C-alpha cells in the first residue's frame, strides 16, 4: 500500500496498475536510504516495482517474464555496443 517500504530503500508513492497476477507500484528512494540526496533542490528518482502474487502458477509466469526481460536487456546492450562502435571508427 502507499507508504510501504520495500527492500529497506523504496517507498511506495502510488499504484500504477494491476492485472491477473501482479500489481505495479510507483516508488522512490526512501529518505533514510543511502541513495537519497538530502538536497531539497534535487528531485527524487522514481521506480516501478512489480509485486507478484505468491501462488505457484503465478511464480512460474513471473520467472518466464524475468527470463524474457533479461533477454531483451542483453540484446539491447549488445545493440548499443554495436552502434557505439559505428560512431567511433
Amino acid at each position: 500500500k502507499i507508504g510501504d517500504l520495500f527492500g529497506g530503500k523504496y517507498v511506495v508513492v502510488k499504484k500504477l496498475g494491476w492485472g491477473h497476477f501482479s500489481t505495479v507500484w510507483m516508488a522512490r528512494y526512501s529518505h533514510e536510504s543511502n541513495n537519497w540526496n538530502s538536497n531539497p533542490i534535487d528531485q527524487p528518482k522514481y521506480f516501478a516495482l512489480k509485486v507478484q502474487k505468491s501462488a505457484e502458477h503465478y511464480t512460474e509466469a513471473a520467472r518466464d517474464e524475468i527470463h524474457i526481460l533479461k533477454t531483451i536487456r542483453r540484446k539491447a546492450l549488445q545493440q548499443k555496443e554495436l552502434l557505439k562502435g559505428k560512431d567511433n571508427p
Side-chain angles (χ1 to χ4, degrees):
K1 68 181 188 274
I2 294 173
D4 280 357
L5 185 66
F6 281 89
K9 63 181 177 178
Y10 302 108
V11 177
V12 172
V13 175
K14 71 177 187 175
K15 186 186 281 189
L16 294 176
W18 62 95
H20 183 65
F21 58 84
S22 63
T23 302
V24 179
W25 299 91
M26 177 189 283
R28 62 163 173 75
Y29 279 128
S30 164
H31 292 286
E32 290 80 28
S33 80
N34 293 334
N35 298 310
W36 179 261
N37 186 336
S38 61
N39 186 342
I41 209 159
D42 291 335
Q43 295 295 315
K45 294 186 179 186
Y46 291 95
F47 303 88
L49 295 177
K50 187 170 187 177
V51 179
Q52 193 77 28
K53 291 182 181 176
S54 62
E56 180 132 1
H57 57 284
Y58 296 133
T59 302
E60 185 60 33
R63 287 188 182 121
D64 290 343
E65 184 175 354
I66 289 167
H67 174 73
I68 291 166
L69 292 172
K70 284 182 176 181
T71 301
I72 291 169
R73 182 175 188 269
R74 187 180 74 249
K75 296 289 185 179
L77 290 173
Q78 289 171 349
Q79 183 68 25
K80 183 178 178 182
E81 286 300 312
L82 287 173
L83 292 174
K84 187 167 69 170
K86 290 182 180 184
D87 291 340
N88 300 317

